[in-house]
Amino acid sequence: MRKTVWYILFTVCLLYQSELFGQDKKTQDSLLAIAYKQNPDTSSVKAFQTIQRNFFNTGLYDSAFKYAQDNFALTKKLNDKKAIAKAQYALGLICTNLTLYDSARYYIAAAENAALQLKDSFLLANCYNTLSMMQRYQADYNSSVSYALKSAAIAEQSTDSSLIKMLPKIYSNISGALVGENQFEKSLAYSKKALLFTNYPDEQRYRILLHQSIADAYVNLKQLAAAKPYLDTAVLLTGKFNNGILKMLTASAEGHYYDQAGDYKKALAAYHLAYQYADSNNNAYLKAEAADNLAAIYYKQKIYAEATLYATEANKIALSVNHIKVAASTFNTLKNIAEAKGEYKTALQYAGQYKIYADSATNEATQKTTLSLESKYQSQKKEKEIAELKIANAEKELTAVKRNRLFLIGGISAAAIMILLGLLYRNSNNKKILAEKEQKLQREKINVLEEQQQVISLQSMVNGQETERTRIAKDLHDGLGGLFSTIKMYFSTLQHEQETLKGNTLFEKSYQLIDTANDEVRRIAHNMMPEVLAKLGLIPAIQDMCSNISAGKLMQVKLQSYGMEQRLNTNTEIMLYRIVQELLSNIIKHSQATEAIVQFNRDDSKLMVTIEDNGMGFNLKDIDDKQHSGLEIIKSRVNYLHGNISIDSKEQVGTTVMMEFVINEESEKGE
């Protein structure tokens, strides 16, 4: 079921700045006169800021962008570094709402650098918060939470009241990102935390949004009784606040509640009201959401004509504004309607479109590798050598048995030649001892060959995995990534050369899809082979991994390293990185730990690696097959480096994994 929180995800940026206000024509003309006066100064900059903020807050982003550009040009002319940084931030914020994400990143990055140089914590916190919203609009909720937490850290550690007053907005942003990941209980915690704040800008509006968000989270958790008081509060507060966007959001929240409660009549009335508010505010994105909800309600009541009408409208709008989730949802609704009416050919066509857009909204990052033919050949070769040695050993044992029998018979039948028999027996005994020694050597050789075979198989598998990861990452980045960049450049050139393409919905949508695909290819390539590992080495790469995990605030991971100033060879660094990555992944999945410590301690040729957590612990004898498989993978990688591993775990106390490796100095220099 679609969630009303998507309305909040889109509009929270619009409601983020200052109080919505209207300007009469006289005031607007006065501001324009100041902004464009013959000898512009700082008062002109302030006039531009007021004008662009007015258009931004009323949803007229194109006009806001125009005046923001003029303001940016003026600040550069006045050479006011702080004003330039604010102008760049404003352009980034507006581009985010225009879904011009490349431009938004460019301007926000410039503003972020300036904020760091100017030590402007307020501007820096705003940059991170806007980056969080941008990532959330693109369904990258993990990055969204990471940026929001950076913004929260600045505000929480500050004594500046303007920064502290940003916290409820930041917490609301984190809550929204967590809802996108279906982590409703954690979302509730941040929303309720934000409700504790008072006396901050736009408090009345944000309290309405927070009550809506909490009610919606409870509805998604099927806790309707808990949701009702927050929904009623949102309705009451909205009635006292003259804002069409907020009224639409509240109506949508009501519709979602009654929909889940099974009261379709009230849900339909609420969704119709939300649709009317969205239409009157000329907000295509929100109108598509509202029409999609109406189509779903009509379909549930088997009123197919109305369901088709609203689904078709929502689909058309969603495609025009690149709202992929609504596009997928409406294609699915149209498919269900056609199927219910027995129009199976039409249903099949809609099903195909639904799959395309549903897949576009799903991130997939799974890769598989296999052993090479050379590895298989070497394994077969070693197996053949082992078999031949075993046959030779068996033949020698049989020969020795026959010889002993002959000596025994000769001794019994030739009593007269006892001396000769004794000599022969002694000779036979010596040969037997020699044969046993030879058999022992052969058995040891067999064991060595078997161990060599295991090492070769493991090396081939590991090298094949890392080679394939690197190859795929390079092909994605250099091949497909370069191809997308070239296509994007062609599209941009074509747009300038062909005036008729400007404003063409299909052309703009194609350009946006190419841009999205380009970003996705870069993200996948980075995940398969982290650049920081290749460029800076093992310890910076592990630190980056620990920081990314800690940024989510689900678990804090600390890294301690001693004697690791000199880099190891490439294969050893990759293998150690994968071992730590797998262990931390297991801790996150199974231990319920809140803290973990990773230690690297190198003393000459000896390297100790220890990973500890304060999780629930486990009994090695009781772990299931899936966990056993994960430990076997880790042990195989440790064996690859000729290391030793020991695991100490106590239930409700935690787990400690200790690994010891011998680093070959000559091998390190050779690499």
Side-chain angles (χ1 to χ4, degrees):
M1 179 62 196
R2 290 160 297 278
K3 309 178 209 23
T4 56
V5 73
W6 280 104
Y7 292 106
I8 298 174
L9 294 183
F10 182 79
T11 57
V12 70
C13 188
L14 179 141
L15 298 174
Y16 172 65
Q17 298 296 313
S18 62
E19 183 72 16
L20 291 177
F21 66 96
Q23 295 283 353
D24 56 38
K25 189 176 185 305
K26 183 177 180 181
T27 303
Q28 190 77 6
D29 290 343
S30 176
L31 288 170
L32 288 170
I34 297 172
Y36 290 107
K37 64 183 181 180
Q38 188 173 1
N39 296 312
D41 51 21
T42 55
S43 64
S44 302
V45 173
K46 292 180 180 179
F48 272 125
Q49 291 173 344
T50 303
I51 295 169
Q52 76 188 34
R53 186 169 62 246
N54 180 36
F55 281 115
F56 178 83
N57 289 337
T58 53
L60 300 175
Y61 301 127
D62 288 332
S63 297
F65 185 68
K66 174 187 179 302
Y67 290 109
Q69 283 184 311
D70 289 348
N71 183 45
F72 181 43
L74 175 57
T75 58
K76 288 196 294 183
K77 183 178 180 180
L78 296 175
N79 197 25
D80 186 336
K81 292 183 178 180
K82 192 167 185 177
I84 291 173
K86 289 182 178 180
Q88 289 170 325
Y89 167 75
L91 284 168
L93 180 64
I94 297 169
C95 286
T96 297
N97 285 269
L98 288 170
T99 68
L100 301 173
Y101 297 126
D102 280 345
S103 298
R105 288 190 186 91
Y106 171 80
Y107 288 121
I108 294 297
E112 178 188 356
N113 290 332
L116 291 169
Q117 293 176 4
L118 296 169
K119 297 182 179 180
D120 189 336
S121 299
F122 183 76
L123 178 59
L124 187 61
N126 275 285
C127 288
Y128 289 145
N129 204 40
T130 300
L131 285 170
S132 171
M133 290 185 288
M134 186 194 311
Q135 296 301 115
R136 194 175 61 194
Y137 293 162
Q138 296 177 281
D140 186 354
Y141 303 115
N142 185 49
S143 298
S144 177
V145 171
S146 178
Y147 280 120
L149 290 174
K150 284 186 177 181
S151 182
I154 295 173
E156 289 169 347
Q157 296 171 10
S158 175
T159 57
D160 187 344
S161 60
S162 61
L163 271 169
I164 296 173
K165 289 178 180 180
M166 283 184 62
L167 282 173
K169 304 173 184 180
I170 298 171
Y171 291 153
S172 177
N173 202 13
I174 297 173
S175 174
L178 290 171
V179 167
E181 292 185 322
N182 294 329
Q183 298 189 45
F184 302 115
E185 292 181 352
K186 291 183 180 180
S187 171
L188 283 171
Y190 276 100
S191 292
K192 290 182 179 180
K193 190 176 181 179
L195 277 179
L196 299 177
F197 287 81
T198 58
N199 300 320
Y200 60 90
D202 299 339
E203 178 182 353
Q204 185 177 4
R205 186 181 312 111
Y206 267 94
R207 297 191 80 81
I208 295 173
L209 289 172
L210 288 167
H211 279 88
Q212 291 171 355
S213 180
I214 294 171
D216 198 65
Y218 274 127
V219 170
N220 282 287
L221 290 170
K222 309 301 181 185
Q223 299 178 23
L224 299 182
K228 194 63 166 65
Y230 289 99
L231 179 63
D232 291 341
T233 301
V235 172
L236 179 64
L237 293 176
T238 304
K240 300 177 181 180
F241 197 81
N242 186 23
N243 186 296
I245 296 292
L246 287 176
K247 289 182 178 180
M248 185 215 63
L249 294 174
T250 301
S252 297
E254 283 189 285
H256 189 204
Y257 172 83
Y258 289 119
D259 186 0
Q260 294 298 307
D263 191 341
Y264 296 143
K265 183 177 180 180
K266 289 184 178 180
L268 191 63
Y271 280 143
H272 266 296
L273 188 61
Y275 177 85
Q276 292 170 7
Y277 281 123
D279 188 41
S280 63
N281 282 274
N282 295 319
N283 195 315
Y285 194 96
L286 301 179
K287 186 176 179 181
E289 292 270 9
D292 185 28
N293 287 332
L294 283 171
I297 289 294
Y298 276 122
Y299 172 73
K300 287 182 178 180
Q301 298 180 84
K302 298 183 179 181
I303 306 176
Y304 297 138
E306 293 294 322
T308 302
L309 177 65
Y310 284 105
T312 302
E313 181 182 14
N315 182 268
K316 181 179 179 181
I317 298 172
L319 292 175
S320 68
V321 296
N322 197 30
H323 196 339
I324 295 176
K325 285 187 176 292
V326 168
S329 175
T330 50
F331 275 127
N332 188 48
T333 300
L334 290 169
K335 183 264 291 182
N336 291 335
I337 295 171
E339 189 175 0
K341 294 167 66 176
E343 299 172 355
Y344 299 112
K345 182 177 180 181
T346 303
L348 183 61
Q349 293 174 345
Y350 284 131
Q353 291 296 313
Y354 165 70
K355 186 178 185 305
I356 292 173
Y357 282 90
D359 289 344
S360 297
T362 304
N363 292 324
E364 296 181 355
T366 56
Q367 300 292 332
K368 298 180 180 179
T369 59
T370 59
L371 291 174
S372 66
L373 292 176
E374 176 63 21
S375 171
K376 294 181 179 180
Y377 167 73
Q378 293 293 343
S379 296
Q380 291 175 352
K381 185 177 179 181
K382 291 298 180 182
E383 289 173 359
K384 184 178 179 181
E385 291 179 5
I386 292 171
E388 290 175 349
L389 286 171
K390 287 182 178 179
I391 293 172
N393 188 41
E395 290 177 347
K396 290 181 179 181
E397 289 179 353
L398 182 59
T399 301
V401 170
K402 290 180 178 180
R403 184 169 56 247
N404 289 337
R405 286 178 180 177
L406 289 173
F407 286 139
L408 181 59
I409 295 171
I412 295 173
S413 62
I417 53 173
M418 290 299 295
I419 298 176
L420 179 61
L421 180 60
L423 293 173
L424 291 173
Y425 178 78
R426 186 176 63 179
N427 186 44
S428 175
N429 192 47
N430 289 336
K431 289 183 178 180
K432 182 180 178 180
I433 294 173
L434 291 174
E436 288 177 350
K437 290 181 178 179
E438 185 178 0
Q439 291 170 12
K440 184 178 180 180
L441 290 173
Q442 289 176 341
R443 284 194 294 269
E444 290 176 353
K445 187 175 181 180
I446 290 172
N447 292 334
V448 171
L449 288 172
E450 287 177 341
E451 291 177 357
Q452 288 178 348
Q453 179 194 11
Q454 293 176 355
V455 171
I456 289 174
S457 298
L458 182 60
Q459 287 176 338
S460 298
M461 180 184 70
V462 171
N463 292 336
Q465 287 177 341
E466 296 302 331
T467 300
E468 189 66 4
R469 285 175 184 265
T470 303
R471 184 190 66 80
I472 294 175
K474 189 175 185 299
D475 288 348
L476 285 174
H477 185 274
D478 296 341
L480 193 55
L483 180 59
F484 273 124
S485 297
T486 303
I487 294 174
K488 182 178 176 182
M489 179 184 69
Y490 287 169
F491 266 62
S492 178
T493 303
L494 186 61
Q495 185 180 29
H496 286 85
E497 293 180 352
Q498 301 292 331
E499 294 293 328
T500 55
L501 291 178
K502 292 184 178 179
N504 186 293
T505 302
L506 181 58
F507 181 86
E508 292 179 353
K509 179 186 172 186
S510 301
Y511 186 87
Q512 293 169 358
L513 286 175
I514 289 170
D515 190 39
T516 302
N518 190 26
D519 290 345
E520 185 66 8
V521 167
R522 291 176 181 171
R523 186 188 67 77
I524 294 172
H526 175 75
N527 287 342
M528 295 193 70
M529 183 54 65
E531 292 182 1
V532 67
L533 179 61
K535 293 181 178 179
L536 301 181
L538 176 64
I539 297 304
I542 297 293
Q543 182 62 62
D544 186 55
M545 183 198 308
C546 295
S547 299
N548 289 337
I549 295 174
S550 299
K553 286 199 171 180
L554 299 178
M555 181 176 74
Q556 296 298 309
V557 185
K558 296 181 180 179
L559 172 64
Q560 299 174 351
S561 65
Y562 308 94
M564 295 298 293
E565 293 78 14
Q566 181 180 351
R567 289 193 61 174
L568 307 177
N569 70 52
T570 302
N571 290 337
T572 302
E573 287 190 340
I574 290 175
M575 193 56 57
L576 289 172
Y577 180 86
R578 297 300 182 198
I579 290 171
V580 175
Q581 186 180 50
E582 181 69 21
L583 285 170
L584 289 179
S585 176
N586 286 345
I587 292 172
I588 293 171
K589 291 179 181 177
H590 306 297
S591 72
Q592 300 180 12
T594 59
E595 295 180 354
I597 299 176
V598 180
Q599 292 181 330
F600 281 78
N601 190 342
R602 181 178 180 181
D603 185 9
D604 293 330
S605 62
K606 185 178 180 181
L607 173 63
M608 294 291 296
V609 181
T610 305
I611 298 179
E612 301 178 78
D613 68 75
N614 66 345
M616 60 189 294
F618 63 93
N619 189 332
L620 281 171
K621 297 180 179 179
D622 297 335
I623 57 178
D624 57 33
D625 292 338
K626 183 176 181 181
Q627 291 171 311
H628 180 70
S629 176
L631 286 176
E632 286 302 315
I633 291 173
I634 293 169
K635 288 179 179 178
S636 68
R637 293 182 183 273
V638 173
N639 290 336
Y640 172 79
L641 295 177
H642 306 291
N644 298 317
I645 181 171
S646 63
I647 300 174
D648 181 20
S649 182
K650 294 183 180 180
E651 295 184 358
Q652 307 306 322
V653 175
T655 302
T656 300
V657 179
M658 294 175 288
M659 293 164 285
E660 182 177 357
F661 306 94
V662 176
I663 305 300
N664 190 325
E665 292 292 337
E666 293 300 321
S667 176
E668 295 298 316
K669 294 176 181 178
E671 288 290 325

